[in-house]
Amino acid sequence: MKASTNQQEKEFLTRYNIHDYEVPLTSVDIVIFTIINEEVNVLITQRSDFPFKGYWAIPGGFIDIKKDKNIKQTAQKKLREKTGYGAPYLEQLGAIGNDSRDPRGWSVTVTYFALVNAEDIIFSTDTRWSHLDKDGNIQQKLAFDHAELIQEAFQRLRNKAQYTTIALHVLPEKFTLSELQRCYEIILGGELNKSGFRRRIIKGNVIEKIAGESKQTVTRMAQLYRKSEDENLHFYMREIYAK
Amino acid sequence: MKASTNQQEKEFLTRYNIHDYEVPLTSVDIVIFTIINEEVNVLITQRSDFPFKGYWAIPGGFIDIKKDKNIKQTAQKKLREKTGYGAPYLEQLGAIGNDSRDPRGWSVTVTYFALVNAEDIIFSTDTRWSHLDKDGNIQQKLAFDHAELIQEAFQRLRNKAQYTTIALHVLPEKFTLSELQRCYEIILGGELNKSGFRRRIIKGNVIEKIAGESKQTVTRMAQLYRKSEDENLHFYMREIYAK
DNA sequence: CCAATAGTGTCTTTCAGACACTATAGT
DNA sequence: ACTATAGTGTCTGAAAGACACTATTGG
């Protein structure tokens, strides 16, 4: 009988208690990228609690099941706490879960990566930028497997820069095409062809000229652009190739 | 002092008990695709327990933190239980987590998608194929948000078929180029150009002729191919376009 | 012979790569 | 005038799309 099944299900749910089971830890971690001084940087923060107390780590933490509606909201909250930044580019990388990454036990972490403009960031305490080398390696010894998470995120970023307009999101509101090209070159790790790059970006329809505004560079004036409102990530049918 | 920090950390870990915290449910779900009768199909299984007892759902379940080393192993185990299949194409889709998808409470699920050849499957009880329509929708009302998970996985599959050799993995050991092209057409939902398709696949270097073997089709003989051993997923620099 | 599918050849189109050219500002 | 960077024009080449052609088998 359907009614009786419903009744049984209600009883099952009333009696259900997650603490009757052996469960993994579940957390969220965020790799926050920016570009500073022609280098890719990642935001790291010093841990104030065990485990790995005092070590540097990427921002993250546990889901607050009372307050968070969904996991992206958890990520956004953590990001805002560390950067004061409301609406960056934020994308899920995936989940990593195994029995060895956390000394507290079996751990699953859902990792996100974000792109921000460095000037928009308001640091919380014990937070700073750390630059990556050309292969996505960081200088510091980090807590947990965070160095690996950063490497994977960096690979995804580099990969995605080959066929999308993702690099736009590290720039401030106003920027020149040369600045944008330089961002791509830093992320991709190689030189790009100027006229080809401009053709491609313009066709992507993701930026627009700011009428009458230009910027003084080392030599001559350069046209300023802004991100266009409609599309914030264009996918190309063909990859760009650096070097 | 370093030694004292180590001591403190040891004590912290000894005292640490996950059940002192409010934690979400964490599970793994797998969308298993194949092609049968010119249609994309997904493997579904009937739930034997609450919640959603008796409903159809995709395979999945909780991580066994005593036995599973990592989360991919959990997925592989679940897949093997339902299909008897050892080494299919298996890729992580991502994690979905929110407070409404599971009546037991806040739930995070790590979803995988797999491609298998239908003939290799040995069904467990209460398991069957269900076909998708052109937009990735399934007929049945499924448990939880599984219909959405399937849709997302299908979008990823269709997308990935545009620039990789992924469709290879639904075929049996030996196949013809026309059969492979048909698989792509079914996944992509449109017709492909024959000579262009062949050029592309051959260049991908993922298949090889089986010398001297051919297959009788409705009219004439067709060369048989097998997957080549070295590369099992080739990424093209440019997308293919259906229709 | 015809029907139907396997398999090939070739012209067109699209878009990235290369590279040289012109334009403009400070010194 | 010189230098450095902004910005453009145009040729080349790689690979996809279109489409017609030939090849092979059963009836």
Side-chain angles (χ1 to χ4, degrees):
Chain A
M1 260 169 289
K2 187 78 184 183
S4 122
T5 303
N6 275 341
Q7 190 55 36
Q8 281 174 40
E9 175 143 7
K10 250 181 207 158
E11 278 168 33
F12 165 86
L13 289 171
T14 308
R15 270 199 302 274
Y16 184 85
N17 182 356
I18 190 172
H19 295 119
D20 296 340
Y21 304 90
E22 300 246 43
V23 294
L25 296 155
T26 304
S27 57
V28 172
D29 287 305
I30 311 165
V31 183
I32 303 167
F33 289 111
T34 198
I35 291 178
I36 299 170
N37 295 331
E38 312 252 305
E39 282 178 319
V40 176
N41 276 251
V42 166
L43 191 141
I44 54 175
T45 178
Q46 202 167 22
R47 287 180 61 79
S48 56
D49 297 306
F50 291 117
F52 292 101
K53 185 170 175 174
Y55 280 69
W56 292 93
I58 57 174
F62 295 107
I63 298 159
D64 183 340
I65 69 173
K66 292 276 187 253
K67 292 186 190 152
D68 303 339
K69 281 281 178 208
N70 58 60
I71 201 162
K72 185 158 192 174
Q73 212 176 78
T74 308
Q76 272 163 336
K77 200 175 63 180
K78 303 279 174 197
L79 192 135
R80 185 160 221 157
E81 282 168 14
K82 295 294 177 190
T83 66
Y85 202 46
Y89 179 82
L90 184 64
E91 173 184 332
Q92 192 188 108
L93 245 183
I96 299 211
N98 59 54
D99 61 0
S100 58
R101 61 180 303 278
D102 191 312
R104 286 167 292 190
W106 226 106
S107 156
V108 175
T109 190
V110 179
T111 59
Y112 281 80
F113 84 95
L115 289 186
V116 301
N117 176 245
E119 273 131 53
D120 294 338
I121 298 303
I122 303 152
F123 279 128
S124 71
T125 51
D126 294 323
T127 297
R128 66 181 199 76
W129 292 113
S130 178
H131 70 271
L132 303 186
D133 69 18
K134 281 226 163 189
D135 304 316
N137 294 306
I138 197 165
Q139 310 293 302
Q140 285 82 4
K141 170 159 171 45
L142 299 187
F144 306 104
D145 52 3
H146 286 188
E148 287 165 51
L149 300 189
I150 290 171
Q151 255 211 347
E152 278 177 45
F154 178 68
Q155 275 167 30
R156 171 92 139 243
L157 172 61
R158 177 169 280 184
N159 194 252
K160 210 147 181 172
Q162 283 176 358
Y163 61 93
T164 70
T165 55
I166 196 171
L168 265 181
H169 296 93
V170 299
L171 289 167
E173 198 199 331
K174 300 174 180 182
F175 53 87
T176 68
L177 285 182
S178 294
E179 287 164 352
L180 179 56
Q181 183 176 340
R182 198 72 202 103
C183 287
Y184 269 94
E185 288 172 340
I186 292 159
I187 292 170
L188 293 170
E191 309 273 294
L192 291 174
N193 174 263
K194 185 160 63 169
S195 86
F197 177 78
R198 283 165 186 243
R199 226 175 12 210
R200 185 174 161 109
I201 279 292
I202 298 298
K203 270 226 175 151
N205 221 47
V206 283
I207 59 171
E208 49 198 37
K209 279 185 188 170
I210 307 177
E213 284 199 52
S214 45
K215 179 182 176 177
Q216 185 56 278
T217 67
V218 186
T219 54
R220 57 175 282 195
M221 303 294 279
Q223 174 67 50
L224 281 171
Y225 287 79
R226 71 162 71 87
K227 296 156 203 164
S228 74
E229 306 207 343
D230 32 310
E231 208 185 356
N232 77 331
L233 192 65
H234 181 80
F235 288 75
Y236 295 99
M237 303 272 285
R238 231 167 126 171
E239 293 181 11
I240 200 174
Y241 212 68
K243 252 186 191 180
Chain B
M1 261 167 290
K2 187 76 187 192
S4 121
T5 303
N6 275 341
Q7 191 54 36
Q8 282 175 40
E9 175 142 8
K10 249 181 209 157
E11 278 168 32
F12 165 86
L13 289 171
T14 309
R15 272 199 301 273
Y16 185 86
N17 182 355
I18 190 171
H19 295 119
D20 294 341
Y21 303 90
E22 300 247 41
V23 295
L25 297 157
T26 304
S27 57
V28 172
D29 287 306
I30 311 165
V31 183
I32 303 167
F33 289 112
T34 199
I35 291 178
I36 298 170
N37 295 332
E38 311 252 302
E39 281 179 320
V40 176
N41 276 252
V42 166
L43 189 141
I44 54 175
T45 176
Q46 202 167 23
R47 287 182 61 80
S48 56
D49 297 306
F50 291 117
F52 291 103
K53 186 170 174 172
Y55 280 69
W56 292 91
I58 57 176
F62 294 108
I63 297 159
D64 182 340
I65 69 172
K66 292 276 188 252
K67 291 187 191 151
D68 303 339
K69 281 281 176 208
N70 58 61
I71 200 164
K72 186 157 192 174
Q73 211 175 78
T74 308
Q76 273 162 336
K77 199 175 66 181
K78 302 277 174 201
L79 192 134
R80 185 160 221 157
E81 282 169 15
K82 294 296 178 191
T83 66
Y85 202 46
Y89 180 82
L90 183 65
E91 174 185 332
Q92 193 189 106
L93 244 183
I96 299 210
N98 60 53
D99 62 359
S100 58
R101 60 180 304 279
D102 191 313
R104 287 166 291 190
W106 227 105
S107 154
V108 175
T109 190
V110 179
T111 58
Y112 281 80
F113 84 94
L115 289 187
V116 300
N117 175 246
E119 272 130 53
D120 294 338
I121 299 302
I122 302 151
F123 278 130
S124 71
T125 51
D126 295 323
T127 297
R128 65 181 198 78
W129 292 114
S130 178
H131 70 270
L132 303 185
D133 69 18
K134 280 227 166 190
D135 304 315
N137 293 305
I138 197 165
Q139 310 293 301
Q140 284 83 1
K141 170 158 171 46
L142 299 188
F144 305 103
D145 52 3
H146 287 188
E148 288 165 51
L149 299 190
I150 290 170
Q151 255 211 346
E152 279 178 43
F154 179 69
Q155 276 167 29
R156 172 92 138 243
L157 171 62
R158 177 169 281 185
N159 194 251
K160 210 146 182 173
Q162 282 176 359
Y163 61 94
T164 71
T165 54
I166 196 171
L168 266 181
H169 296 93
V170 298
L171 288 167
E173 199 201 329
K174 300 175 180 183
F175 53 87
T176 68
L177 286 181
S178 294
E179 285 164 354
L180 179 56
Q181 183 176 343
R182 198 72 202 104
C183 286
Y184 269 94
E185 289 172 340
I186 292 159
I187 292 170
L188 292 169
E191 307 273 296
L192 292 175
N193 173 263
K194 186 161 62 169
S195 87
F197 176 78
R198 283 166 185 242
R199 224 174 16 208
R200 184 174 161 109
I201 278 292
I202 298 299
K203 271 228 174 149
N205 221 45
V206 284
I207 59 171
E208 48 198 39
K209 278 186 188 169
I210 307 177
E213 286 200 51
S214 46
K215 180 181 176 177
Q216 184 57 279
T217 68
V218 186
T219 53
R220 57 175 277 193
M221 302 296 276
Q223 174 67 49
L224 281 171
Y225 287 79
R226 69 162 73 87
K227 297 156 202 164
S228 74
E229 306 209 340
D230 32 311
E231 210 184 357
N232 78 330
L233 191 65
H234 181 80
F235 287 76
Y236 294 99
M237 304 273 285
R238 229 168 127 169
E239 294 181 9
I240 201 173
Y241 212 68
K243 250 184 187 182

